[in-house]
Structures are given as structure tokens and as C-alpha cells.
Amino acid sequence: MSTAVHVTVTSDDTLENVSLLALAGELDYTNAERLQHDLQESIGTESRDLIVDLKDLTFCDSTGIQVFLAVRKLVHGRGHSVVLAQLHPRLERLFHLTGLTQAFGIQPTVGDAVEALQAQQSS
């Protein structure tokens, strides 16, 4: 497996109260702890919804799932939501098999993720 997962903070002035992060690489036990640290650092102390673009994340094992759950717990603890977007088909299957699809509000595109959060905020 890869030894690095890259986190990119995407700036988009049209996304009000939403942080957008993109992950690339392969996520497994060799780099999950580092990724969790990087994600928490990227999120910071701001209270915002979070969209994670997984288009370029090609592999994730159970330790990676634990990272996503930890980040979800952090963001939910602040009263906000996490949406995962553009999952690779293998990752989408993994989230479906583990029953986590609903927990993360998985969306096919970043645009759909933004719309889902906006609909959630207005209801």
C-alpha cells in the first residue's frame, strides 16, 4: 500500500460555512494516524460543515474507515455534518457494506454534496 494520503484544502468563496477537503492516494493502517492528524489540522477549530472529495482516494481499509468516523464525530460534536463526495466505486461499495452510507450522506459529486448541505440547513 501507499505510504501517503494527500489532503488538499480547497478554497471556494461560494461555499458559506463549508470546508472542502480533497483526499488522494491509498488509505490504510500505515498512514491512517497521520491522515487523521492532517484532517483535524485542516478542519481546525472552526464550526463548519465538511465535504470530503474522495475522487482520487483509490483504497481504504478498516483503519481508514475509523479515521472517517473520528472526523465525523468531531464535526458532529460541533453541530455540523460531513458529506463524502465522488467515491471510487470500491469505496462506495465498502461504505454500503458497512452500513455507513447514511451516516456520511454520500453524494455522487461535490455539487450534489453542496446542495445536500444547503437543503439540510434550510430545513
Side-chain angles (χ1 to χ4, degrees):
M1 291 297 128
S2 170
T3 58
V5 174
H6 302 284
V7 178
T8 304
V9 179
T10 304
S11 176
D12 187 336
D13 295 334
T14 65
L15 299 178
E16 205 171 303
N17 296 320
V18 177
S19 294
L20 177 58
L21 303 177
L23 303 185
E26 296 181 344
L27 176 54
D28 64 15
Y29 71 95
T30 65
N31 56 22
E33 187 176 321
R34 179 66 194 175
L35 175 65
Q36 184 167 347
H37 174 269
D38 290 349
L39 285 173
Q40 289 175 339
E41 191 173 278
S42 297
I43 294 167
T45 58
E46 293 185 40
S47 185
R48 303 169 67 107
D49 290 316
L50 175 64
I51 297 172
V52 184
D53 182 351
L54 300 177
K55 176 180 65 173
D56 295 321
L57 187 71
T58 58
F59 178 82
C60 179
D61 69 5
S62 61
T63 53
I65 295 291
Q66 291 173 351
V67 169
F68 288 117
L69 289 171
V71 168
R72 180 182 180 273
K73 182 178 179 180
L74 175 70
V75 173
H76 275 241
R78 296 176 181 172
H80 290 276
S81 299
V82 177
V83 179
L84 305 179
Q86 302 192 99
L87 276 73
H88 188 280
R90 285 182 294 204
L91 294 180
E92 190 167 3
R93 178 172 159 74
L94 176 64
F95 275 85
H96 178 73
L97 290 173
T98 57
L100 294 173
T101 304
Q102 292 299 320
F104 286 97
I106 293 173
Q107 295 293 329
T109 68
V110 171
D112 290 330
V114 170
E115 287 178 17
L117 286 173
Q118 288 171 340
Q120 184 180 14
Q121 290 170 354
S122 66
S123 59

